[in-house]
Amino acid sequence: MAHASDGRSLEFRLPDLGEGLTEAEIVRWLVEVGDVVAVDQPVVEVETAKAMVEVPCPYGGVVTARFGEEGAELPVGAPLVTVAVGEVDGAEDAAADGPARGTGAAEAPAAKSPAAEKKAEGSGNVLVGYGTSEAPARRRRVRPDRPAATGVSGRANGRVRAAGPVDGPVRAAEPADGPVPVISPLVRRLARQHDLDLRELAGSGPDGLILRADVEYALRAAAAQGGRTADQEAGAIRVPDAASASSGAFSAPSAAPHPDGTRVPLKGVRGAVADKLSRSRREIPDATCWVDADATELMRARTAMNASGGPRISLVALLARICTAALARFPELNSTVDTEAREIVRLDRVHLGFAAQTDRGLVVPVVRDAHARDAEGLTAEFARLTEAARAGRLTPGDLTGGTFTLNNYGVFGVDGSTPIINHPEAAMLGVGRIVPKPWVHEGELAVRQVVQLSLTFDHRVCDGGTAGGFLRYVADCVEQPAVLLRTL
């Protein structure tokens, strides 16, 4: 009969899967209760606001309980599975014995002995939140036993956090004791600005950590009770999910709802885009300038490159190379603003994001160290990231850390746009479609390949002269690619 030789069950919680991600949706379970799993074996596939991720379990043993149905949304730090660790005598016995163990598997594990610590180490996968070997010692609060509740959704600050477990019990949430569990100074400042006592909130983060979302929801609830709208009170950027709305935890706006309308929850990629764009509009004083450019010579140069053999060079790679050259001349635009310190941080490396439309919505993959890549290297990396985006295989690391964004909205058949800056970056270059137009060339009217270029920039990091100089340099390189030879 399969069992953990030391009789311990370890609880594996949903780790932090990337910057700013506080929750994930279960897409597909990869294991069943009773299955034998190895260290670092993926146990569940989840979808975050940034990517689809297979989550590996750092423990080896028998799965004794799973938490959450497919389609359920879990906060970071919520239990995923419990695993009876130790030597497994047989997979068949494990399958037969696993469900019986599920009724008590979610209890907190006993203190580890030195031998047990040795057995538990060895995870080779790295996700933010747990590492590759022995975890550092940390103090954990000992919570009193609570009656197990099955099939009941957990709730924090008026929000439904996750559905009940499929095969195991759920441990009831308990308010944190001792110091207020807040890490972010932004959360403290938001609460202080609105006279909100953080000790009255139950955090939805790991170990009861109070997140910005918790404060925003509390402010929404207070505004609704006082007859004020959420935007007036906190400028909140999140919309409650359908379960919260149906439970009465969130009061609807004063406008009468349309009975024949369809409510679509702002979640996943769409929710992340809404949050980020709203924050950008709220925090960044942006401005846009634009110019038309004759791209005929750039198109001819690309044709000549591809006729010489070797890997084909993409147009977006040439535009990216022009961008990195322009940022070297105007480094103010490769920066970010530290609002807490009231400082502009100029960045030494260019991590170039590019907007890509997928079936899951708009995503912005990031080409790392774009300034150090040539046209061939940029072409290959754009192709890799684009294919990964279409297949839903982008990792959180592929979607974070950008310093400047290139937005080729010309693929949608439009000439111009005033895009919203990808917070916390300071600028975005927009490229419209390249179309034949009448153009005065060398003193004569001719039909040329014309493109509209636009630059949206954060007016805090530079003035219009710098932005105009950047855009003019980009236009000059598009019209006369030989200009780039000066910096190659």
Side-chain angles (χ1 to χ4, degrees):
M1 180 180 295
H3 64 283
S5 59
D6 58 359
R8 295 183 306 120
S9 288
L10 298 182
E11 187 179 78
F12 173 48
R13 296 171 176 266
L14 178 65
D16 181 358
L17 300 172
E19 326 179 338
L21 299 178
T22 60
E23 57 197 12
E25 180 181 333
I26 296 175
V27 176
R28 181 168 57 101
W29 281 106
L30 305 178
V31 295
E32 300 287 343
V33 169
D35 284 357
V36 178
V37 294
V39 171
D40 288 338
Q41 177 179 332
V43 294
V44 65
E45 183 178 36
V46 301
E47 180 178 20
T48 70
K50 298 179 181 292
M52 298 270 282
V53 180
E54 288 187 351
V55 182
C57 178
Y59 311 129
V62 180
V63 177
T64 57
R66 301 186 318 188
F67 298 90
E69 299 176 355
E70 293 181 356
E73 206 168 72
L74 299 178
V76 169
L80 277 178
V81 295
T82 55
V83 178
V85 299
E87 297 183 6
V88 179
D89 298 329
E92 294 181 358
D93 289 341
D97 193 41
R101 295 175 177 269
T103 58
E107 297 178 2
K112 296 180 180 180
S113 65
E117 290 284 358
K118 187 70 177 177
K119 289 182 181 178
E121 66 184 36
S123 171
N125 263 323
V126 177
L127 285 175
V128 181
Y130 64 96
T132 60
S133 60
E134 183 179 4
R138 52 182 287 191
R139 296 173 57 192
R140 300 186 63 179
R141 293 190 301 274
V142 178
R143 303 185 180 184
D145 292 338
R146 294 294 182 92
T150 57
V152 180
S153 298
R155 191 180 297 274
N157 299 336
R159 286 175 292 165
V160 175
R161 299 302 305 169
V166 176
D167 305 299
V170 173
R171 216 161 37 195
E174 183 177 9
D177 51 4
V180 179
V182 178
I183 295 177
S184 170
L186 294 177
V187 173
R188 291 185 181 274
R189 185 179 67 174
L190 182 62
R192 185 169 59 250
Q193 288 174 343
H194 298 280
D195 297 323
L196 182 64
D197 187 356
L198 290 172
R199 294 182 182 276
E200 297 179 356
L201 301 186
S204 60
D207 292 328
L209 182 68
I210 296 176
L211 307 175
R212 177 173 178 167
D214 299 322
V215 175
E216 290 173 343
Y217 268 82
L219 293 176
R220 278 183 178 273
Q225 292 172 2
R228 300 186 299 273
T229 65
D231 289 338
Q232 291 171 333
E233 180 68 13
I237 58 178
R238 296 194 57 175
V239 177
D241 55 30
S244 295
S246 63
S247 66
F250 175 79
S251 298
S254 56
H258 297 285
D260 55 346
T262 301
R263 290 181 177 268
V264 179
L266 274 175
K267 56 189 291 189
V269 173
R270 186 73 263 158
V273 170
D275 288 352
K276 198 158 194 176
L277 297 184
S278 296
R279 183 177 182 184
S280 178
R281 270 287 186 246
R282 191 168 61 250
E283 295 185 6
I284 298 178
D286 59 348
T288 302
C289 54
W290 56 89
V291 66
D292 290 339
D294 180 2
T296 305
E297 295 303 321
L298 180 66
M299 301 300 287
R300 288 175 177 171
R302 176 174 177 255
T303 300
M305 291 179 190
N306 292 334
S308 63
R312 293 183 61 82
I313 304 300
S314 66
L315 179 60
V316 71
L318 294 179
L319 293 170
R321 185 66 188 87
I322 291 173
C323 270
T324 58
L327 289 172
R329 295 172 66 96
F330 299 92
E332 298 91 337
L333 294 169
N334 192 53
S335 61
T336 187
V337 176
D338 185 341
T339 55
E340 288 292 316
R342 292 185 62 82
E343 294 176 341
I344 297 172
V345 182
R346 292 185 182 172
L347 305 169
D348 298 327
R349 300 160 68 185
V350 178
H351 301 317
L352 187 67
F354 65 99
Q357 193 70 35
T358 71
D359 292 339
R360 298 177 62 235
L362 178 69
V363 294
V364 184
V366 177
V367 177
R368 304 282 169 184
D369 295 316
H371 61 287
R373 300 174 186 261
D374 58 15
E376 284 189 3
L378 288 167
T379 297
E381 187 65 1
F382 277 121
R384 182 188 74 80
L385 291 170
T386 300
E387 177 58 29
R390 289 172 179 165
R393 296 194 309 268
L394 288 172
T395 66
D398 291 330
L399 293 162
T400 54
T403 65
F404 186 93
T405 295
L406 174 62
N407 189 354
N408 182 20
Y409 44 73
V411 297
F412 301 116
V414 298
D415 295 323
S417 174
T418 54
I420 300 175
I421 294 174
N422 187 23
H423 186 280
E425 297 170 14
M428 176 185 294
L429 178 69
V431 181
R433 61 177 180 164
I434 300 176
V435 292
K437 286 186 178 181
W439 190 268
V440 177
H441 177 64
E442 297 180 350
E444 296 184 358
L445 187 64
V447 176
R448 306 285 285 183
Q449 300 293 317
V450 178
V451 62
Q452 185 179 102
L453 305 170
S454 66
L455 177 71
T456 299
F457 63 99
D458 185 341
H459 228 313
R460 296 174 297 179
V461 304
C462 70
D463 295 325
T466 300
F470 174 93
L471 189 59
R472 185 65 256 169
Y473 179 80
V474 170
D476 289 345
C477 290
V478 168
E479 293 183 338
Q480 304 175 52
V483 171
L484 277 177
L485 293 175
R486 282 182 168 272
T487 59
L488 294 180

